[in-house]
Amino acid sequence: MTDTVMDEVRGAQETAVAGDRAGARVILERLWASTGDALHRCTIAHYLADLQDSVEDELHWDTLALSAFPGLTDERARSYDASWQARAFLPSLHLNLADVHRRAGHPDEARQHLAAAEAAVDVLPTDDYGTMIRAALTSVREALATGSTAPLTPPSG
């Protein structure tokens, strides 16, 4: 099934990778305003968070991404990609919130989201994506343990 919104999200990501972060934000914000679909909203907010210039704005969009998750079903996720399951979104959503709370100086909230991400890590695939998320969890855990609020390189999932 073709999903034109997800196609536009992918195009916005390509725009961002090409260096036009502001242009990508415009596309994603337009898509956000035009859809109530949980898959779209989780995905759009997740990517919009990565395009923000402030930790506060990033936190806002990461929070919106997680708040859209309860409406996402396995059936909806699989209608886009047969290999997807809704719960597999949780490690990345919580990872991003753990990292942004850490950078914002909210260690308690960061630890809560890190624990939630780690509790859901069993659903991650054993592919490059799963490896990336697991490595990012380790990096956030280590940065949190040292009290660092510095951005991680590369950015979390």
Side-chain angles (χ1 to χ4, degrees), residues 6 16 23-24 29 33 37 40 60 66-67 71 74 84 86 88-89 92 100 105 121-122 139 143 145 153:
M6 294 298 277
E29 287 169 357
D37 180 273
H40 296 158
H60 169 76
L66 183 61
S67 71
D74 283 342
W84 286 10
F89 281 58
S92 181
V100 74
V121 78
D122 63 306
S139 296
T153 322

Side-chain angles (χ1 to χ4, degrees), residues 1-8 10 37 39-40 76 80:
M1 173 172 119
T2 300
D3 187 324
T4 57
V5 172
M6 294 298 277
D7 290 345
E8 288 188 70
R10 192 172 23 263
D37 180 273
L39 175 63
H40 296 158
R76 175 60 184 111
Y80 179 68

Side-chain angles (χ1 to χ4, degrees), residues 3-122:
D3 187 324
T4 57
V5 172
M6 294 298 277
D7 290 345
E8 288 188 70
V9 169
R10 192 172 23 263
Q13 282 302 97
E14 292 169 4
T15 298
V17 169
D20 186 3
R21 291 170 46 96
R25 276 194 306 265
V26 167
I27 294 166
L28 293 172
E29 287 169 357
R30 176 184 51 78
L31 292 171
W32 173 265
S34 71
T35 185
D37 180 273
L39 175 63
H40 296 158
R41 289 181 79 82
C42 271
T43 306
I44 292 164
H46 182 72
Y47 289 134
L48 268 168
D50 293 340
L51 297 173
Q52 300 307 306
D53 294 326
S54 74
V55 171
E56 294 79 15
D57 290 341
E58 184 178 347
L59 178 58
H60 169 76
W61 284 106
D62 278 333
T63 300
L64 288 175
L66 183 61
S67 71
F69 174 79
L72 181 58
T73 64
D74 283 342
E75 180 181 18
R76 175 60 184 111
R78 289 185 179 129
S79 74
Y80 179 68
D81 184 313
S83 69
W84 286 10
Q85 57 181 307
R87 190 167 174 260
F89 281 58
L90 286 174
S92 181
L93 295 173
H94 282 292
L95 164 64
N96 287 354
L97 278 162
D99 187 49
V100 74
H101 275 295
R102 176 192 65 79
R103 288 183 287 117
H106 310 145
D108 292 338
E109 292 89 341
R111 284 186 195 90
Q112 290 171 0
H113 284 288
L114 184 62
E118 290 173 333
V121 78
D122 63 306

